[in-house]
Amino acid sequence: MAKTGETEVREGLEALVPRLWRYALVLTGGHRADADDLTQAAVLRALERAGQFQPGTRLDRWCFTVLASIWKNELRSRAVRRGEGQVPVEEAGLATPDHAHVNILAGEVLTCMTTLPEAMRETMFLVYVEGYSYAEAAERLEIPIGTVMSRLANGRRKLNAAMVER
């Protein structure tokens, strides 16, 4: 018997929560409380609308779209909260004890990424962290592929400059 969209969402959602939280963390500029709230809202919305999920498609991409939609609605309704501490890199799901030097660099890059403009930060996250192709990121963000390429080039340049300053 084929799975329904609701079944796929219920069975796959728990494993996606850490990735959703990291994406929320990137979208919120490293604000832990906002990332927690956004992740919770996305999980709830995914469960509420599980029947809309198309079986056999990518659940992670559908959930990322749900999360981003909630965040954009939140940005429209209020100013982004400022002044909250950033989450330690160890809690962002990147650290593994086997590769300390890689973890240190990843932490520095993540910290620098939170200083980038939101659109650039989101584009870089989708391509470099989540592995979306340029075309997939363009489709997900509803922008031309040239804009994705531009944001990535500018983001790499800004990250490189920030890393050199460290």
Side-chain angles (χ1 to χ4, degrees):
M1 185 165 91
K3 289 185 180 180
T4 66
E6 190 169 339
T7 302
E8 282 192 38
V9 171
R10 292 191 184 282
E11 290 177 359
L13 194 57
E14 184 176 351
L16 285 176
V17 170
R19 290 177 59 199
L20 290 170
W21 186 81
R22 283 192 303 262
Y23 185 34
L25 185 64
V26 167
L27 290 179
T28 62
H31 292 98
R32 172 187 217 124
D34 288 344
D36 290 345
D37 293 345
L38 182 55
T39 303
Q40 183 177 359
V43 168
L44 181 60
R45 174 95 37 98
L47 289 170
E48 289 172 347
R49 298 191 179 168
Q52 296 175 2
F53 177 72
Q54 297 296 315
T57 60
R58 298 276 311 260
L59 179 60
D60 59 342
R61 303 226 168 124
W62 183 75
C63 288
F64 283 162
T65 301
V66 168
L67 187 138
S69 175
I70 293 168
W71 180 244
K72 287 176 183 172
N73 289 339
E74 181 68 18
L75 289 178
R76 286 184 195 111
S77 68
R78 64 171 174 86
V80 177
R81 284 181 246 161
R82 303 258 185 232
E84 295 177 5
Q86 294 185 350
V87 66
V89 173
E90 299 81 28
E91 296 178 26
L94 300 175
T96 59
D98 301 336
H99 302 94
H101 66 286
V102 173
N103 293 334
I104 292 168
L105 180 60
E108 290 175 359
V109 170
L110 183 60
T111 299
C112 289
M113 255 183 89
T114 62
T115 66
L116 297 174
E118 180 182 348
M120 191 178 296
R121 193 171 60 232
E122 181 177 15
T123 305
M124 292 185 75
F125 178 83
L126 291 175
V127 173
Y128 296 132
V129 177
E130 287 300 323
Y132 281 47
S133 69
Y134 290 6
E136 290 169 331
E139 181 181 332
R140 164 59 203 86
L141 297 169
E142 299 176 345
I143 58 175
I145 195 167
T147 304
V148 168
M149 294 166 53
S150 175
R151 287 179 184 176
L152 293 173
N154 290 331
R156 284 190 303 266
R157 189 171 40 256
K158 287 183 178 196
L159 280 178
N160 187 40
M163 295 299 292
V164 168
E165 291 176 8
R166 290 181 151 257

